Amino acid sequence: MNSNILQKKLQAGEEVYILDDFEESAIRLVLENGKTNAFIKHKGGRSEKEISQSNETVCEIILGGIEIPKSEYDMY
């Protein structure tokens, strides 16, 4: 995903959902109190867990993934 677009969306208060089929994972990014928080879900596992934004997997998903709607993230 384009980092400039990602930053603009986060700064506008939007939650961003990104899917990476190769990693079989999806992330949710949200800006809270000036800090980006990341949450990850793995294919077939309905729950998400908080993960460091600097985690290698999160970075790879941001770079290689595609933005998806919340409804798709929720079903992942």
Side-chain angles (χ1 to χ4, degrees), residues 8 13 17 20 36 54 61 71:
K8 286 180 183 177
Y17 305 90
D20 187 328
T36 302
S54 62
I61 292 172
S71 58

Side-chain angles (χ1 to χ4, degrees), residues 3-33:
S3 62
N4 290 330
I5 293 171
L6 175 62
Q7 286 294 50
K8 286 180 183 177
K9 287 183 177 224
L10 291 172
Q11 290 174 350
E14 295 181 40
E15 288 188 338
V16 179
Y17 305 90
I18 305 172
L19 171 68
D20 187 328
D21 279 331
F22 181 77
E23 295 287 336
E24 293 189 334
S25 299
I27 57 172
R28 174 173 66 96
L29 301 171
V30 60
L31 186 65
E32 294 176 338
N33 300 319

Side-chain angles (χ1 to χ4, degrees), residues 35-67:
K35 178 182 176 235
T36 302
N37 294 323
F39 301 86
I40 191 166
K41 288 178 80 172
H42 298 285
K43 190 172 187 172
R46 298 284 172 165
S47 62
E48 67 177 10
K49 67 176 185 174
E50 190 164 3
I51 188 170
S52 171
Q53 181 199 4
S54 62
N55 180 286
E56 184 178 342
T57 302
V58 172
C59 294
E60 288 176 9
I61 292 172
I62 291 171
L63 291 174
I66 57 167
E67 187 174 7

